[in-house]
Amino acid sequence: QVQLVESGGGLVQPGGSLTLSCTASGSIFRVDVMGWYRQAPGKQRELVATITRAGTTTYADSVKGRFTCSRDNTKNTVYLQMNSLKPEDTAVYHCKANIARQAYWGQGTQVTVSS
């Protein structure tokens, strides 16, 4: 049984910063690609960032230069540092991990950007 648990969401003013974290636990030998996705009300879930085990990252155009994805393989944890937040970044953020060729999702953490 594998579980992903996110933390770090909350309410922040435009221009502010937040850091999300997500830890995978359970029967895990190795975590491959990890990533962050988000879903705003009335919209489809979209990719935010991914990171390989070796640390290669990809980002959605909308967050490039503002968000940084990193990971700690010793802790099976992925992070998302979000700077210069905008109201349009408001969404539920979910982490995803590929483990033994299966995809696992976290329950999500709410990020609200509002003054």
Side-chain angles (χ1 to χ4, degrees):
Q1 190 80 10
V2 174
Q3 282 190 319
L4 300 184
V5 178
E6 300 107 332
S7 63
L11 172 65
V12 64
Q13 292 187 340
S17 298
L18 279 176
T19 300
L20 307 182
S21 64
C22 171
T23 298
S25 63
S27 181
I28 298 171
F29 173 68
R30 167 192 164 110
V31 182
D32 295 313
V33 176
M34 302 185 82
W36 291 95
Y37 293 71
R38 66 186 181 187
Q39 187 166 18
K43 295 189 177 181
Q44 288 190 328
R45 188 174 295 187
E46 63 175 0
L47 181 144
V48 176
T50 64
I51 183 166
T52 67
R53 187 170 180 83
T56 301
T57 53
T58 61
Y59 296 95
D61 287 343
S62 59
V63 306
K64 280 181 182 177
R66 300 189 297 122
F67 290 12
T68 301
C69 186
S70 61
R71 64 189 285 173
D72 184 337
N73 291 331
T74 66
K75 299 179 180 179
N76 290 332
T77 298
V78 62
Y79 305 95
L80 187 67
Q81 172 68 44
M82 305 184 292
N83 298 325
S84 303
L85 282 161
K86 305 175 181 180
E88 51 264 42
D89 294 318
T90 295
V92 177
Y93 284 69
H94 298 266
C95 73
K96 178 185 175 184
N98 292 346
I99 302 170
R101 285 178 282 186
Q102 287 194 359
Y104 296 88
W105 291 87
Q107 82 288 351
T109 185
Q110 177 70 46
V111 171
T112 302
V113 184
S114 175
S115 55

